[in-house]
Amino acid sequence: MSEKEVAAKSERLTAVKGMNDVLPPDSAAVEWLEGRVRSLMARYAYRNIRTPIVERTPLFVRGLGEVTDIVEKEMYSFEDRLNGDPLTLRPEATAGVVRAVVEHSMLYDGGKRLYYMGPMFRHERPQRGRYRQFDQIGAEALGFSGAEVDAELILLAVALWKDLGLTDVRLELNSLGQPQERLLHRQALIAHFERHIDALDEDARRRLHSNPLRILDTKNPAMQAVVESAPRPLDYLGAASLAHFNALKTILDANDVAYTVNPRLVRGMDYYNLTVFEFTTDRLGSQGTVCAGGRYDYLVEQLGGKPAPAVGWALGVDRVLELVREQGLGAVEPTLDAYAIVPDVSALPLVLQTLQALRAAGVSVQMHASSGDGMGSMKSQFKRADSSGARYALIFGADEISKNRVTVKSLRDGSGAQATQALADIADWAPTLQLRT
Ligand code: ATP
Ligand code: MG
């Protein structure tokens, strides 16, 4: 082995920068959120879709637009080693969902309501609320053109915030109009920025003719004035687009959903038209957008399907959970009903058999297991039982076992009360161990 190889071998292997391990107990919070989302999606009749994490690169180039942050600089792209196919780790899921919907002709018998959860990959500068692998949860309604579905999706998100206990989330809305209107706005926008070319930064100048709308989305404070005075998409809406926007606002008003119209709100991807929206919070510093979405009526056709309207949103799991923590909510320690104390290894076959029956009856039990130097003393086993958080200890001592019984000792109510139970009657006493049924 060369010196270099030796060094490489002894070097500690670590996770890729910006890609985080989610360890217990933090992972419980993610599971908790996913559980709340599943239950809510079922009530809104949205069904789960699972698409691959790797897609062909042209899907994103065509779907998201060439002059977007994601396609220009954030994609993890590589060639398939065997056949050279250009592939990309998905930076977002809408393009993949639309690809799947088209590929499987899912709209042949009407619109579909879908949701997904899973990891996305973007090569960004890692910081609070911004990672290179991050989870998103998203909802998409395809095949529906009316503002009532825009409203349904927004109400679904609002219901989720309520369900999670979040209060400091604001809704911002805008309408980008239809392609013809966007074109007129775009011309006015280019003219405006050309008049103020000195006020534009390098990024904006580069985008001036390829994607001027995105200049409105700049995070450069020095450009705020030129952006503030720029023509607004709202001023270019025709009657039908205005009617769509007003219908949405009427439904939100009727449901007491507070919102502000933000005429500067545009979205990172090219595929949006009409409604765009974001849920933001002040509690997370500069990464304050927790959920974002809008209408994308032309994406299905652009990706090769029969024209079909669509609308959806995606939320950032990390940011939502940070907000949950920030508001002191969702402390979701998993609970354990019992801890099995096993003084002697000879009891193990019976212990495992008994625990199997208890778990089948719905009881959560952690088994004491040996750690190199045997099962350990009773004292150390009780210590483990205590720190496990279990409400009961199950003691499989020689005495108990000889009578086909187990001692159940209360660990949490201070009484230390204990009783021996017959192994033959598990079904009778198992329910008394359960915190939740
Ligand atoms: P930003 O302006 O913050 O970069 P974006 O417009 O790129 O956001 P979307 O593509 O709309 O974000 O993604 C929807 C949501 O996913 C965001 O509102 C955010 O909550 C979350 N998100 C986006 N990028 C990241 C990331 N790199 N790390 C963690 N969460 C992210
Ligand atoms: Mg981004």
Side-chain angles (χ1 to χ4, degrees), residues 396-405:
F396 291 87
D399 258 12
E400 286 95 339
I401 287 175
S402 68
K403 299 183 194 123
N404 251 317
R405 299 178 78 84

Side-chain angles (χ1 to χ4, degrees), residues 122 124 129-131 134 136 219 267 289-290 316 319:
R122 297 183 192 178
E124 307 200 62
R130 192 177 291 289
Y131 310 100
F134 59 98
Q136 280 187 342
K219 284 168 181 134
R267 302 280 316 120
T289 305
V290 292
R319 295 187 197 177

Side-chain angles (χ1 to χ4, degrees), residues 69-70 74 91-92 122 124 129-136 217 219 267-269 272 278-279 286-287 289-293 314-319:
D69 281 348
I70 291 180
E74 294 175 358
E92 57 97 64
R122 297 183 192 178
E124 307 200 62
R130 192 177 291 289
Y131 310 100
R132 291 181 175 174
Q133 173 173 338
F134 59 98
D135 273 17
Q136 280 187 342
D217 195 30
K219 284 168 181 134
R267 302 280 316 120
M269 281 67 108
Y272 290 107
E278 285 189 357
F279 288 93
S286 51
Q287 266 59 252
T289 305
V290 292
C291 174
L315 67 78
V317 168
D318 301 278
R319 295 187 197 177

Side-chain angles (χ1 to χ4, degrees), residues 338-343 351 355 359 365-369 375 381 385 390 392-396:
Y339 189 98
I341 289 183
V342 191
V351 169
L355 301 193
R359 290 160 178 160
V365 202
Q366 182 172 332
M367 175 183 69
H368 188 81
M375 301 303 285
Q381 292 200 32
Y392 295 97
L394 306 176
I395 306 159
F396 291 87

Side-chain angles (χ1 to χ4, degrees), residues 128 158 215 220 283:
R128 179 187 185 197
V158 167
I215 300 177
N220 183 354
R283 285 181 173 252

